[in-house]
Amino acid sequence: MNKYIIILIMAMLPLFGFSQEKVEGVVLDSEGANALGLSGASVYWQDSQTGVVTNFDGEFSIPYTKEFNTLIISYVGFQSDTLTINEPKTIRIALKSSNELDEVVVQQERDAIQKTYFSPQNVITVNSAELLKAACCNLAESFETNPAIDVNLSDGLTGTKQIEMLGLTSPYLLITQENIPMVRGASQAYGLTFTPGTWIESIQITKGAGSVVNGYESISGQINTELVKPLTDKAVFVNGYANQNGRYELNTHFNRKLTDKWSTGLYIHGNKRTQKEDNNNDGFLDAPLADQLNVMNRWQYQDAEKGWVSFFNVRFLNDEKQVGQVDFNPDTDKFTTNAWGSEIDTRRFDTSLKLGYVFPELPFQSLGFQTSYSLHKQDSYFGFRTYDINHESLYSNLIFNSIIGDTRNKFKTGITFAYDGYDEMVSSTDYSRVDRSVGAFMEYSYENLEKVSLTAGLRVDNHNRLGTFVTPRFHIRYTPWEKGSLRGSFGRGKRAANIFAENQQLFGSTRTINIASSDGEVYGLEPEDAWNYGVSFLQGFNFLNKKGDITLDYYITDFKNQVIVDWENPQEVSFYNLDGDSSAKSFQVEVNYELLSRLNLRTSYKFYDVSTDYNSGNLQKPLLAQHRFFVNLGYETEAKENGSQWKFDYTLHRVGEKRLPDTNSNPEQYQLREYSSPYSLMNAQITKVFSKNVEVYLGGENLSEVQQDNPVLGANDPFGPNFDTTIVFAPIMGRMFYAGFRFKI
């Protein structure tokens, strides 16, 4: 019933009136008639909550009221511009490139997390200023200060952080890099750790159904990462990090502008952990021994006169992990009962190309082409079990953008081709397969910034295993009054579950693997199919002359088919298709408020109702807290003329009780209670900025010293029938301190 009410509300929204005066224009990268539009530039009224972001062609349209007359335009790497506007008009702004980043600091302070009032989609943009509030060593660790994403440990061995949104884990998210699918297939378990934090320029988090342009796999939302650009990144950047548990990292960026059109960047990341930690004295490493080398070469080309822009990336990664018992030595103990251990070795090569052309005489019309290739190889063993997977992937997307009549009516259309070849071995069983798909899409957008904006998309895909299917998605935004934005959305998502790559924690146990085949095309299982419905309301306000906003979200994900991962029998893990109901309901309220000058509060409460019909009955999702509370406080001293200042950040996560998988059939010493205890997790960081070139930071994680007592069941007998590392409901590592530096010129 809830979903029909939501659809009815969204269907009625366009009936409300919509006319208003506005300021329209285009933001360009230089003077001249053939300058190139800047996509993603911020345009906002000073001292207001009213702002927009330019589209792919650099165009914008922002409501005009007599209350505000100072319009600010900013873009990373360019000097900000301030205009006095006294009437609705059409304007053309050419920003000047800048090697000084004074303006960038201003933009980051204002828009560390940006919520747009005018987009039909519920998108949260996280920029580099927010990422610097924590160590943020990789993408998986980039969400600790953001309540939109939940971060948990996936198991008791690897220390890998798993993200969740709307109560669903990352396989149900479409994770892209510059709108090209990136973390999927073989990379699902560890792929988030393969993007270093310093490479990230911004992150766009879309709740609910995403755009049909980016494919059909998104079910609960999309996370898109924008990488730093060689043209606008610092010429030299060096970041060092170390923590008390023996983890060391070094990041270096080297960028150079070769000609007026060509720029290139070389980005090198390395991390290493050789120190053995066993704080709970169970004989198992609390965090893996690790060694990673990650190198990317990035090229940027732009010809403003002819309307061309392009990015080309080449990357190589080598990642090695050793987990298991403290005394495990791979040279002598591998595949023996001397000690239980595991090694996970990953080698990855990927390359991507983005090519865009803006028609010089028709700046609202453009053509884009995206393509990528990756080869991901993982060789691993867990005790006596081996798991090897090679995943070769090819993806291409051709997109044409134009208008219908005027710039309020826009459309995108194009075709997509994808190929995935899996060479997968689980012990001695071969699960190799090839997936191929081709699809076409059409997306229409209507923009009337005062009252209504909407996006309606449809794509049709033919997949050799999923068949031919249609993916509709719809988003609408209605502004009932000033600084208010009501959104609604619905859409379908479909995907093939890679059950072993997505659930590698199962190998860290003696559970038997049971696949209940339904004669499906993927592991004998049918593909997953779900609909997502949601409403969201954003309201800006001023209280005691300080700005703030409040957001309320409610989303429902309703599975028509799902691959159930059943952990309820402690002696096995079962995979089977849904027979009954499965849904994820998510409610969130979030408040952002400037308590004092330069002291900002962000707080939220989330409630999840995620239930599934298992073979044993309808149960709440295990290891998911139904109640979560979040607080973040950030304070910065006023920056001096040379850029020096102090920055302070504190984050509290209050995590409610979690239902634990049933262990009653275990011997008494290996049984767990039905629910875990709630706990509070605190993180903090202090940053001293000495100048625009040098800063150092000191931080602590898990300052409340929360630790799970028994993350490894049967640790005293790892080759026995009750060994299990999959039931992790709280941190394993205790209090941890870290320090680092950043140098840039």
Side-chain angles (χ1 to χ4, degrees):
M1 177 63 68
N2 289 336
K3 65 184 180 182
Y4 298 112
I5 294 174
I6 293 171
I7 293 175
L8 180 60
I9 292 172
M10 292 185 293
M12 293 178 64
L13 289 180
L15 301 179
F16 295 94
F18 41 106
S19 65
Q20 88 148 34
E21 297 178 314
K22 52 186 176 288
V23 176
E24 297 180 315
V26 61
V27 180
L28 306 168
D29 66 345
S30 62
E31 299 284 356
N34 294 320
L36 188 65
L38 290 174
S39 173
S42 296
V43 181
Y44 57 90
W45 294 110
Q46 186 174 350
D47 300 324
S48 82
Q49 295 289 330
T50 304
V52 296
V53 176
T54 57
N55 64 13
F56 182 81
D57 303 318
E59 300 168 340
F60 71 91
S61 181
I62 187 169
Y64 170 79
T65 63
K66 295 181 180 179
E67 181 182 357
F68 306 111
N69 66 354
T70 304
L71 191 68
I72 297 176
I73 303 96
S74 62
Y75 189 79
V76 176
F78 289 79
Q79 294 181 5
S80 296
D81 201 354
T82 302
L83 303 177
T84 300
I85 306 292
N86 294 315
E87 61 181 353
K89 61 171 65 176
T90 300
I91 57 177
R92 174 187 173 99
I93 305 104
L95 297 182
K96 295 181 180 179
S97 180
S98 172
N99 293 323
E100 301 295 329
L101 292 189
D102 297 23
E103 293 80 6
V104 175
V105 174
V106 172
Q107 181 182 352
Q108 290 177 339
E109 289 176 353
R110 175 183 171 83
D111 298 318
I113 291 183
Q114 180 180 346
K115 297 181 178 181
T116 175
Y117 285 78
F118 301 104
S119 170
Q121 297 187 39
N122 188 1
V123 181
I124 302 164
T125 300
V126 181
N127 72 17
S128 57
E130 182 68 20
L131 300 179
L132 297 181
K133 290 184 175 183
C136 190
C137 297
N138 56 58
L139 181 58
E141 300 167 327
S142 300
F143 304 102
E144 296 287 358
T145 63
N146 189 328
I149 302 292
D150 300 323
V151 183
N152 301 294
L153 289 176
S154 63
D155 57 75
L157 293 175
T158 64
T160 303
K161 292 187 176 181
Q162 181 184 68
I163 64 172
E164 296 178 342
M165 188 165 75
L166 305 186
L168 297 172
T169 54
S170 56
Y172 296 107
L173 288 165
L174 176 62
I175 302 176
T176 60
Q177 181 175 289
E178 299 186 329
N179 286 314
I180 295 175
M182 180 58 62
V183 181
R184 57 185 301 276
S187 65
Q188 190 64 250
Y190 309 114
L192 288 172
T193 68
F194 297 160
T195 301
T198 65
W199 294 8
I200 301 172
E201 180 180 82
S202 65
I203 302 172
Q204 293 81 47
I205 303 169
T206 303
K207 288 187 175 184
S211 169
V212 295
V213 175
N214 296 318
Y216 54 82
E217 292 183 322
S218 169
I219 289 178
S220 63
Q222 178 178 347
I223 296 177
N224 179 59
T225 303
E226 289 290 326
L227 303 183
V228 294
K229 310 297 189 292
L231 180 64
T232 54
D233 192 22
K234 287 294 188 180
V236 177
F237 175 83
V238 182
N239 166 233
Y241 167 92
N243 71 27
Q244 71 180 86
N245 297 323
R247 177 178 174 179
Y248 304 97
E249 296 205 3
L250 182 67
N251 297 280
T252 59
H253 301 186
F254 303 99
N255 296 283
R256 185 175 180 181
K257 185 176 181 180
L258 303 176
T259 68
D260 290 340
K261 297 181 176 63
W262 284 97
S263 300
T264 187
L266 178 65
Y267 309 93
I268 304 173
H269 165 86
N271 73 67
K272 195 174 187 70
R273 189 201 300 269
T274 58
Q275 183 174 314
K276 294 184 177 182
E277 291 285 329
D278 181 19
N279 293 323
N280 55 15
N281 298 314
D282 64 358
F284 277 76
L285 294 171
D286 294 339
L289 307 180
D291 193 351
Q292 183 185 119
L293 177 65
N294 201 342
V295 181
M296 179 177 69
N297 184 210
R298 185 161 164 83
W299 292 80
Q300 180 176 354
Y301 173 85
Q302 63 180 41
D303 186 337
E305 293 184 0
K306 296 183 179 179
W308 289 97
V309 61
S310 179
F311 291 94
F312 176 69
N313 298 344
V314 179
R315 181 178 69 150
F316 172 78
L317 167 100
N318 187 78
D319 183 77
E320 300 175 357
K321 296 182 180 71
Q322 178 186 321
V323 301
Q325 289 185 289
V326 175
D327 297 331
F328 177 75
N329 183 342
D331 296 331
T332 58
D333 301 332
K334 181 178 180 181
F335 298 140
T336 73
T337 57
N338 297 340
W340 194 98
S342 167
E343 289 184 292
I344 306 164
D345 296 338
T346 303
R347 296 167 305 284
R348 180 181 176 92
F349 169 81
D350 59 62
T351 181
S352 64
L353 171 68
K354 292 183 66 176
L355 184 64
Y357 175 70
V358 179
F359 291 79
E361 303 302 323
L362 301 170
F364 51 80
Q365 188 165 288
S366 62
L367 188 66
F369 177 68
Q370 305 167 320
T371 188
S372 67
Y373 170 82
S374 65
L375 181 61
H376 183 107
K377 295 185 176 183
Q378 177 185 321
D379 299 320
S380 53
Y381 64 89
F382 303 80
F384 287 107
R385 280 176 165 164
T386 59
Y387 178 65
D388 300 328
I389 182 169
N390 295 340
H391 178 191
E392 186 176 25
S393 178
L394 177 64
Y395 170 85
S396 295
N397 202 20
L398 181 66
I399 309 167
F400 176 72
N401 297 265
S402 192
I403 64 172
I404 303 173
D406 58 48
T407 56
R408 292 177 300 174
N409 298 277
K410 302 177 182 179
F411 73 90
K412 299 178 181 179
T413 188
I415 55 174
T416 307
F417 170 78
Y419 167 89
D420 293 288
Y422 295 94
D423 184 5
E424 187 175 31
M425 292 288 295
V426 180
S427 295
S428 58
T429 306
D430 189 348
Y431 290 98
S432 299
R433 74 177 198 271
V434 172
D435 293 351
R436 294 182 299 272
S437 69
V438 60
F441 58 87
M442 175 76 174
E443 185 175 81
Y444 165 77
S445 298
Y446 173 78
E447 296 180 3
N448 181 303
L449 291 181
E450 181 192 11
K451 291 297 180 183
V452 174
S453 295
L454 64 86
T455 300
L458 189 73
R459 64 177 298 130
V460 180
D461 290 272
N462 177 265
H463 191 287
N464 64 316
R465 297 184 183 275
L466 277 63
T468 301
F469 55 96
V470 177
T471 306
R473 290 177 184 169
F474 180 81
H475 304 262
I476 190 166
R477 185 272 309 167
Y478 170 65
T479 301
W481 48 72
E482 185 181 1
K483 298 182 181 178
S485 184
L486 176 63
R487 294 184 178 89
S489 68
F490 68 85
R492 183 191 189 192
K494 196 167 184 177
R495 64 184 294 272
N498 292 284
I499 59 174
F500 297 114
E502 295 167 8
N503 298 279
Q504 292 190 40
Q505 69 269 33
L506 70 88
F507 298 120
S509 71
T510 52
R511 292 172 181 259
T512 59
I513 301 171
N514 177 30
I515 303 176
S517 174
S518 59
D519 297 324
E521 292 291 332
V522 184
Y523 306 102
L525 300 169
E526 298 294 333
E528 297 190 297
D529 190 354
W531 285 79
N532 183 281
Y533 314 87
V535 291
S536 175
F537 182 69
L538 170 64
Q539 178 65 56
F541 62 86
N542 284 280
F543 179 68
L544 299 178
N545 293 321
K546 299 295 182 182
K547 295 178 294 184
D549 62 70
I550 181 170
T551 305
L552 292 95
D553 292 335
Y554 182 64
Y555 286 88
I556 300 172
T557 305
D558 184 16
F559 284 93
K560 303 306 178 185
N561 197 11
Q562 186 179 17
V563 174
I564 306 301
V565 186
D566 190 340
W567 304 87
E568 299 306 315
N569 182 338
Q571 275 69 54
E572 70 177 25
V573 56
S574 298
F575 298 96
Y576 51 85
N577 280 114
L578 175 68
D579 183 13
D581 297 324
S582 179
S583 65
K585 300 173 183 177
S586 167
F587 171 76
Q588 176 176 333
V589 56
E590 178 183 345
V591 177
N592 296 279
Y593 183 62
E594 184 184 14
L595 293 172
L596 300 170
S597 179
R598 297 183 299 278
L599 174 62
N600 294 293
L601 167 70
R602 183 181 307 128
T603 184
S604 75
Y605 165 75
K606 284 184 281 191
F607 173 76
Y608 295 123
D609 179 11
V610 183
S611 63
T612 300
D613 284 340
Y614 293 86
N615 286 341
S616 55
N618 185 271
L619 297 169
Q620 285 287 318
K621 180 181 177 182
L623 303 177
L624 175 72
Q626 280 198 297
H627 303 274
R628 296 185 73 112
F629 180 70
F630 169 92
V631 175
N632 176 262
L633 285 169
Y635 176 74
E636 299 181 5
T637 62
E638 187 173 359
K640 297 181 179 178
E641 191 171 328
N642 67 348
S644 67
Q645 63 178 153
W646 287 89
K647 300 180 180 180
F648 304 88
D649 196 82
Y650 169 83
T651 303
L652 168 69
H653 296 269
R654 177 65 179 174
V655 182
E657 64 180 17
K658 303 177 182 179
R659 188 187 73 82
L660 305 182
D662 190 352
T663 56
N664 288 332
S665 61
N666 278 344
E668 185 175 354
Q669 66 268 34
Y670 301 127
Q671 291 180 10
L672 298 173
R673 55 189 181 274
E674 187 177 356
Y675 287 90
S676 67
S677 299
Y679 63 87
S680 296
L681 186 65
M682 293 186 287
N683 302 329
Q685 179 177 284
I686 301 173
T687 303
K688 171 57 178 175
V689 181
F690 291 97
S691 68
K692 299 171 184 176
N693 305 109
V694 180
E695 60 188 68
V696 297
Y697 55 93
L698 174 69
E701 296 181 358
N702 194 9
L703 298 176
S704 48
E705 192 78 9
V706 177
Q707 285 184 271
Q708 182 174 334
D709 294 332
N710 54 347
V712 179
L713 286 181
N716 59 332
D717 185 16
F719 297 97
N722 303 115
F723 177 66
D724 195 347
T725 68
T726 64
I727 306 178
V728 175
F729 51 84
I732 297 174
M733 301 285 285
R735 186 182 295 115
M736 185 274 290
F737 294 99
Y738 63 85
F741 70 90
R742 303 182 185 96
F743 172 76
K744 45 196 172 184
I745 56 176

